[in-house]
């Protein structure tokens, strides 16, 4: 029995010593091969059993088999431990603290001016108008000359112009797009032309850059009635179906006759308030019948064709629609302001 005991511990102990520092599944496999592989330590002892006398062989065989089972179990147990350890490490490194505050991504909004522009555009497109564009850096010729505003004309003083050079300006209105389109196309045509315009002016209701929408409709037999119908239905759709609309005689060099178009004050319903300066009316846009001189400038026959034009500021309409009292708010990009629309 003493011999059996010695045999037993002679492999168990070195095995346990070798097992204890193993820290990977690959290391375990190496150890298994060292003991239980074809040429393993325990395997060769099993092989050598054949050389023992039969009565010793039986006892020694039992001990070896027990040791083999012991080693197999110890390897399996350690393998499981290593797997658990690895899983715990992985979980720890990937853990998420669900109590931490989340990172909130604020959804974007469409700028109130863009919303207003899109709304205005939709109304005119629904009436069959197309959309045109022109350059913001414009020739003096298109911005003034071809619109019947010659060099010495007093109307030029109405515009605080940014000059780029003697004959190049930042356009002061979207009206030059009228000329560019009429030069390119022949009548009939009806379009709007939205875009940025520039004037040397800054206060609570003026910024050096702002936006306008120009409109032009040209054909045979276009009359002031068409102008009235188009602008009235536009204003009814943008403000409200029952808002009063008024045409006041006015002057623009590129239209004759010209009108200033007002709506009944949407704040006081016409009784008079601060916004309408007590008048009960709010000026919205300028308009008129295209001046025959303008047609001549683009080579249209003024005896054959007539048309109307109009122009409006987008900021002004957005300010009225959303009750905004300072134009500069549009350009400060304060999220607290922009998030309200
Ligand atoms: N261009 C004018 C302005 O900037 C607005 C305007 C008035 C445009 C009358 C027109 C018009 O087409 O007919 O103040």
């Amino acid at each position: 029995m003493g011999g059996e005991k010695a045999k037993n511990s002679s492999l168990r102990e070195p095995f346990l010593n070798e097992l204890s520092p193993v820290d990977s599944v690959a290391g375990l496999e190496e150890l298994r091969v060292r003991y239980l592989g074809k040429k393993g330590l325990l395997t060769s002892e099993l092989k050598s059993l054949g050389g023992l006398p039969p009565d010793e062989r039986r006892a020694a065989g039992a001990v070896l088999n027990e040791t083999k089972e012991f080693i197999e179990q110890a390897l399996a147990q350690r393998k499981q431990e290593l797997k658990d350890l690895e899983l715990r490490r992985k979980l720890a490194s990937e853990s998420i603290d669900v109590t931490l505050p989340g990172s909130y991504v604020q959804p974007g909004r469409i700028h109130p001016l863009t919303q207003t522009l899109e709304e205005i555009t939709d109304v005119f497109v629904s009436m069959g108008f197309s959309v045109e564009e022109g350059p913001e850096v414009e020739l003096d010729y298109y911005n003034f000359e071809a619109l019947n505003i010659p060099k010495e004309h007093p109307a030029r003083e109405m515009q605080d112009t940014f000059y780029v050079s003697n004959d190049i300006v930042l356009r002061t209105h979207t009206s030059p797009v009228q000329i560019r389109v009429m030069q390119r196309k022949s009548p009939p045509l009806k379009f709007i032309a939205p875009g940025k315009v520039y004037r040397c002016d800054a206060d609570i209701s003026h910024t050096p850059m702002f936006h306008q929408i120009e409109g032009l409709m040209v054909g045979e037999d276009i009359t002031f009635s068409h102008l009235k119908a188009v602008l009235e239905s536009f204003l009814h759709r943008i403000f409200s179906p029952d808002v009063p609309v008024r045409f006041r005689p006015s002057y623009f060099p590129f239209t004759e006759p010209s009108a200033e178009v007002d709506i009944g004050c949407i704040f006081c319903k016409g009784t008079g308030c601060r916004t309408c300066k007590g008048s009960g009316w709010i000026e919205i846009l300028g308009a008129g019948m295209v001046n025959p001189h303008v047609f001549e400038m683009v080579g249209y026959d003024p005896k054959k064709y007539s048309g109307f034009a109009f122009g409006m500021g987008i900021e002004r309409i957005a300010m009225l629609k959303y009750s905004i009292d300072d134009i500069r708010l549009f350009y400060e990009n304060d999220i607290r302001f922009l998030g309200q629309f």
Side-chain angles (χ1 to χ4, degrees):
M1 284 302 269
E4 285 162 19
K5 261 238 147 82
K7 190 146 216 146
N8 184 358
S9 55
S10 80
L11 276 182
R12 278 198 192 202
E13 252 197 56
F15 168 75
L16 287 172
N17 285 339
E18 284 190 68
L19 178 63
S20 72
V22 172
D23 61 355
S24 70
V25 175
L28 278 183
E29 178 59 11
E30 249 171 56
L31 193 58
R32 189 191 65 80
V33 171
R34 237 172 90 63
Y35 280 82
L36 306 179
K38 264 192 196 148
K39 294 178 183 160
L41 295 171
L42 193 114
T43 316
S44 24
E45 289 206 15
L46 274 170
K47 277 180 188 161
S48 66
L49 281 177
L52 293 176
D55 53 334
E56 274 181 45
R57 192 193 304 161
R58 172 182 272 270
V63 168
L64 279 179
N65 276 327
E66 222 174 82
T67 309
K68 186 181 177 197
E69 242 170 67
F70 171 80
I71 291 178
E72 277 170 346
Q73 263 177 28
L75 287 171
Q77 188 185 333
R78 176 57 65 87
K79 192 169 182 178
Q80 193 56 51
E81 282 169 11
L82 286 173
K83 277 189 174 166
D84 289 351
L85 191 70
E86 194 179 327
L87 182 64
R88 276 201 299 278
R89 265 198 217 121
K90 211 170 160 209
L91 286 175
S93 72
E94 289 173 4
S95 74
I96 295 169
D97 184 349
V98 294
T99 64
L100 284 174
S103 53
Y104 175 65
V105 180
Q106 190 149 13
R109 297 282 180 95
I110 296 181
H111 194 281
L113 283 179
T114 308
Q115 286 187 41
T116 307
L117 168 62
E118 284 175 357
E119 217 179 305
I120 296 172
T121 304
D122 282 352
V123 173
F124 283 108
V125 166
S126 79
M127 291 194 267
F129 284 70
S130 60
V131 179
E132 300 280 355
E133 280 183 350
E136 290 168 32
V137 180
E138 186 55 286
L139 289 170
D140 179 286
Y141 176 78
Y142 289 107
N143 196 78
F144 295 122
E145 208 80 13
L147 285 163
N148 199 36
I149 317 175
K151 282 254 156 29
E152 311 310 327
H153 199 286
R156 284 207 185 192
E157 282 164 36
M158 284 160 41
Q159 323 243 15
D160 302 295
T161 310
F162 289 109
Y163 277 88
V164 175
S165 70
N166 246 349
D167 53 358
I168 299 174
V169 300
L170 298 187
R171 68 178 177 190
T172 59
H173 50 179
T174 41
S175 303
V177 185
Q178 287 185 26
I179 306 298
R180 288 184 172 271
V181 174
M182 284 195 283
Q183 276 187 350
R184 255 196 351 252
K185 298 181 180 176
S186 31
L189 42 88
K190 67 182 168 169
F191 65 86
I192 56 167
K196 292 180 166 59
V197 300
Y198 301 85
R199 286 183 205 176
C200 195
D201 206 352
D203 60 35
I204 193 167
S205 52
H206 297 88
T207 43
M209 184 281 296
F210 60 104
H211 299 78
Q212 282 190 338
I213 293 193
E214 191 75 13
L216 182 70
M217 178 166 183
V218 180
E220 294 178 32
D221 303 321
I222 301 292
T223 68
F224 201 92
S225 307
H226 297 119
L227 169 61
K228 276 191 84 174
V230 165
L231 289 183
E232 270 177 12
S233 69
F234 161 69
L235 292 168
H236 286 159
R237 281 173 69 178
I238 286 292
F239 290 103
S240 83
D242 52 9
V243 75
V245 176
R246 173 175 90 168
F247 287 71
R248 251 181 317 114
S250 184
Y251 171 76
F252 298 102
F254 32 91
T255 45
E256 183 57 39
S258 303
E260 231 54 85
V261 184
D262 303 337
I263 56 170
C265 181
I266 50 180
F267 300 105
C268 64
K269 305 275 177 253
T271 56
C273 67
R274 226 164 52 114
T275 308
C276 63
K277 298 191 184 88
S279 74
W281 294 93
I282 296 178
E283 187 187 317
I284 296 287
L285 48 80
M289 301 307 292
V290 179
N291 191 312
H293 286 150
V294 174
F295 281 149
E296 278 161 9
M297 296 286 237
V298 296
Y300 284 9
D301 179 357
K303 288 197 197 72
K304 188 168 176 203
Y305 295 112
S306 55
F308 64 79
F310 56 89
M312 68 189 99
I314 298 175
E315 278 79 354
R316 185 164 171 72
I317 290 178
M319 287 169 83
L320 290 170
K321 274 184 79 77
Y322 299 119
S323 295
I324 296 164
D325 58 6
D326 187 339
I327 194 173
R328 293 167 291 202
L329 287 165
F330 288 126
Y331 306 110
E332 281 165 2
N333 289 334
D334 186 331
I335 309 244
R336 292 167 303 179
F337 171 75
L338 296 177
Q340 295 176 46
F341 304 96

